[in-house]
Amino acid sequence: MADSGARKDHLTNALSGPAQEAVKGEPHSALDLDAGVHRQKAELEKRARELSILLRIAQMAASSLESSALAQAVLNEVIQAFDAEVGAIFVRDDETGFLRMLGDFGLSPGFVQAFQAIPFDHPNALPARVARTGESLLVEDTAYLSSAVLPEFRAELPRMGLIAPLRARNSIIGTLAIGRLSDHPFTAQDLSLLTIVGQLIGVAIENAYLFARTQQQVQELSFLVDLSARLNSAYGIEETAEIALEAACALVKATQGALFLLDASRQVLQLGAHYHLPAQTVKWLQSQRLPLTTGLFQQVAEQARLVEISDATTEPRCQYAPGRTLREACYLPLQTGSRVIGILELEARLQSERVRRILYTLGDMAAVAIERARLISTLQHYADGLEAQVAARTEDLQRALARAQEADRLKSVFLSTISHELRTPLAAIKGFASTLLQEDVEWDPTTQREFLSIIERESDQLERLISQLLDISRLEAGILNIEQVACSLSEIVQGVASRLKVIARAHELQVHIPLDLPLVYADRQRIGQVLSNLVENAAKYAPPHTAIVISASAVEDQVQVSVSDQGAGIPPELRERIFDRFFRADPRDGRPGTGLGLAICQGIVEAHGGRIWVEGKPGQGSVFVFTLPIAQGPNGRGEGN
Ligand code: ADP
């Protein structure tokens, strides 16, 4: 701690040590011999003392693995062994580049405080110089050192001093300095001995450091292993984010923290987890989808590296959330590969490179765990959807199966019905024809005509049945021919008017078709057939003398045609089924029928691109409605009938 060049005479190099001097020349006389023996004895005693000092210090050095306790214990031993009054052990702090006082003896707390850390490259501080050069120093008058020491501590400086480097393997890790306040000087031999002590202590302290570092690494490893286990057993994105954030806050000793997740567009952030944030801030953040341009987030995401703000109070971009003032902040991007999936915001100052390194590892682990949780939740979502779809399909299939079974049953019923339906007119025809042909009976012309008209009516019935069977099989084969043209509904009704009159002769048939009804795009004959069928049903199922009304209106781009009656109506639960082939609501009501009429109507209407359904309240009659497309072009909408 002084101008070393100027006072070089006061400093003795450790290597010009005492050992060589001590074993000088051979004895020449008895007196010489005596003196020689005496010297050798003294020398041996000194050696023995030195060895015992070294042994004690070596024992001390092996007594602890905690560096500062070790340094202090060894220093105490050195002070005693060298008859010194003050001393200190300095070690080099690689992170700061300072020499740090690891143990002290006989120094006032103020002195210790003031010289706790000496810059390694300090030009005047002797401990720093010894650490740099690796050469031990014997200082015989330290008064000259006072220029390097603050005035208030000058009185504490020793008058005599020894400084040796602490050597560990191939490097110098610090210095050991001892001193005496009295004028009693140290010898060059003391310096040699202290140099060896410096090596002993250096290795011991290095070992303690290695041990501490190993322990630290074990701690880091178990922290990360524990975190990995907890992330692995987390369920869902939220729990994963919470575990990651909590671990990060614990690692960097953050006072507050938040974990934001980037959405699929990677432009919007959502709060994934929060740690010790004010309730008001949490509420605000939860209600927000923060654009990436908020605060420092975009910068963090783009740079994809840790951003640290030491004074966040002067950085307006850190103060974006109401109710919270960040004092210091660090932002860690969470990334899988090169993709940033979220950002950790921690109110903390990172204390060391080591913490930074672990934080990065934590970020990587968290990102992978969050991605995995996301993937699982997506898969779960699909699996749920799939399950629902399978359930719906199963239900559909069950319904279809029930319908198929029902259709099968109806078909059997139909077969017996149709044979009956066919046989009845056939029997009548055959009966009346045979009667007429009887040779032994002469029928008068009136009776003959009556019989022939019965034969004609029954033939018609037979023909109707056969054409129904043909239609239904054409429909099933998809070859029912429909020739659509633009035509008016009145025209179609007109075409079947005489037939309708016959069908509804016991009822009161009314037709209400507005004059301005648009033309429809239809097959006249087929739609005439539908109308006849519906009127026939109305006449069959509604009591005589009640009204049967055909009406029509335009609704959007369609014409709705309805046939209503005043019969018993159709219960709502059967309204879809009556359009099924062979279905008859009450097959035992004695009314003739095959259950094919409405199925054919539906087939014809649908082939036109329309729809057919039944309305009405039970007990108040039925209203059968079907739609037909309005004809486009010159004869289309708005042209009337
Ligand atoms: P069906 O030859 O039995 O009349 P449809 O296919 O024409 O066959 O009709 C199917 C069933 O729908 C009928 O058996 C009947 O139960 C019911 N139905 C049809 N039209 C009417 C109506 N206007 N009023 C009451 N029930 C009807």
Side-chain angles (χ1 to χ4, degrees), residues 533 537-538 540-541 565 569-570 578 583-586 592-599 622 624:
N533 231 320
N537 276 353
K540 190 157 67 173
Y541 296 104
D565 62 48
I570 295 156
I578 54 167
F583 182 85
R584 309 197 67 212
D586 186 3
T594 56
L596 288 178
L598 287 180
S622 314
F624 282 84

Side-chain angles (χ1 to χ4, degrees), residues 25-140:
E26 293 292 311
H28 297 294
S29 62
L31 207 70
D32 277 356
L33 197 72
D34 245 16
V37 167
H38 199 74
R39 252 200 329 267
Q40 279 187 357
K41 188 177 167 239
E43 187 58 34
L44 283 173
E45 275 173 2
K46 221 185 286 169
R47 288 282 178 210
R49 195 180 70 87
E50 284 174 8
L51 277 174
S52 93
I53 289 174
L54 287 175
L55 190 66
R56 278 208 311 280
I57 289 171
Q59 280 170 344
M60 260 318 146
S63 68
S64 173
L65 274 171
E66 199 281 304
S67 57
S68 57
L70 173 82
Q72 194 58 54
V74 168
L75 182 63
N76 295 351
E77 195 61 43
V78 171
I79 294 285
Q80 212 188 343
F82 282 82
D83 223 358
E85 289 147 294
V86 293
I89 287 182
F90 294 92
V91 286
R92 186 170 178 179
D93 185 333
D94 285 337
E95 259 189 39
T96 59
F98 273 59
L99 274 186
R100 195 162 51 81
M101 205 187 276
L102 196 62
D104 60 276
F105 189 94
L107 300 171
S108 70
F111 190 98
V112 171
Q113 177 72 29
F115 297 98
Q116 185 53 235
I118 304 170
F120 186 69
D121 52 4
H122 194 295
N124 296 335
L126 290 183
R129 179 172 147 193
V130 171
R132 284 198 304 273
T133 62
E135 287 184 4
S136 304
L137 286 181
L138 191 155
V139 188
E140 291 187 330

Side-chain angles (χ1 to χ4, degrees), residues 3 33 37 58 65 67 77 132 183 364 396 401 427 430 446:
D3 178 357
L33 197 72
V37 167
L65 274 171
S67 57
E77 195 61 43
R132 284 198 304 273
D183 278 344
D364 288 347
D396 284 354
L401 180 68
K430 167 110 175 87
T446 318

